[in-house]
Amino acid sequence: MNNIFKATLVFSTVLGASSLAFADGKAGFGPRGEKCKPPAEVMQKFDANSDGKLDHDERTQMHEARKAEMLAKHDANKDGQLGDEERQALWTDKKQEHFLRMDADGNGSITAQEAEAGCGPLKRFFSKVDANNDGMITQQEFDEAKPPHGHADRQGRRGFKHR
């Protein structure tokens, strides 16, 4: 298995897990079990019984729908699987999507307050990702940061620190 595929798989798993945590309203993205508020669009689309959480069948439906959406968007040659370049495009899109979700005010940077309000490991590693220590994380700093400890980046490196 090549490194890009491994990293894409890990990153997708982490994002998927955080989506499930959002959907369940249970423990969040990180090992400290932060509580996460479910995104309204996820609940509206997948909470079929309107009970405010996603049961196993609803989560399975969400997972399959997201997988189909990713394949439809990134499978450029329509062969039913993602090649190296297609996985790279998926990786890039997911990182940008995650950054935009964290950038609550849409100004192109993530402040410490936005990171703290988010549900993920960025709040714990903010100062390490903020390479120039200006109190904001730009898309470039976010893209250049390694993933959290225990999650490998595209080159198989571990730890959440600025390169």
Side-chain angles (χ1 to χ4, degrees), residues 75-117:
D75 185 16
N77 63 5
K78 304 299 181 204
D79 66 351
Q81 54 189 351
L82 297 181
D84 290 345
E85 289 180 15
E86 294 163 330
R87 281 192 295 272
Q88 182 64 43
L90 170 65
W91 173 264
T92 301
D93 283 358
K94 287 294 178 187
K95 284 180 79 172
Q96 183 175 21
E97 189 179 292
H98 189 66
F99 180 87
L100 293 173
R101 194 169 37 246
M102 296 284 299
D103 181 17
D105 63 7
N107 70 348
S109 63
I110 301 170
T111 64
Q113 291 79 16
E114 288 170 323
E116 188 64 35

Side-chain angles (χ1 to χ4, degrees), residues 27-145:
F29 186 81
R32 297 182 186 194
E34 302 96 15
K35 294 290 183 179
C36 300
K37 182 178 179 188
E41 62 273 10
V42 169
M43 296 306 294
Q44 184 176 8
K45 187 171 182 179
F46 296 105
D47 185 15
N49 60 8
S50 300
D51 66 352
K53 59 185 177 182
L54 297 182
D55 61 32
H56 176 73
D57 292 337
E58 292 165 336
R59 285 192 309 270
T60 300
Q61 181 183 4
M62 178 186 72
H63 177 71
E64 292 301 319
R66 291 188 68 166
K67 193 163 74 171
E69 287 172 17
M70 283 191 291
L71 191 59
K73 182 177 180 181
H74 295 285
D75 185 16
N77 63 5
K78 304 299 181 204
D79 66 351
Q81 54 189 351
L82 297 181
D84 290 345
E85 289 180 15
E86 294 163 330
R87 281 192 295 272
Q88 182 64 43
L90 170 65
W91 173 264
T92 301
D93 283 358
K94 287 294 178 187
K95 284 180 79 172
Q96 183 175 21
E97 189 179 292
H98 189 66
F99 180 87
L100 293 173
R101 194 169 37 246
M102 296 284 299
D103 181 17
D105 63 7
N107 70 348
S109 63
I110 301 170
T111 64
Q113 291 79 16
E114 288 170 323
E116 188 64 35
C119 187
L122 185 59
K123 60 181 148 188
R124 292 191 308 276
F125 300 102
F126 186 88
S127 62
K128 291 181 181 179
V129 178
D130 181 16
N132 62 3
N133 297 313
D134 66 352
M136 297 183 287
I137 296 173
T138 63
Q139 180 79 54
Q140 182 178 353
E141 289 172 319
F142 188 80
D143 290 346
E144 291 175 357

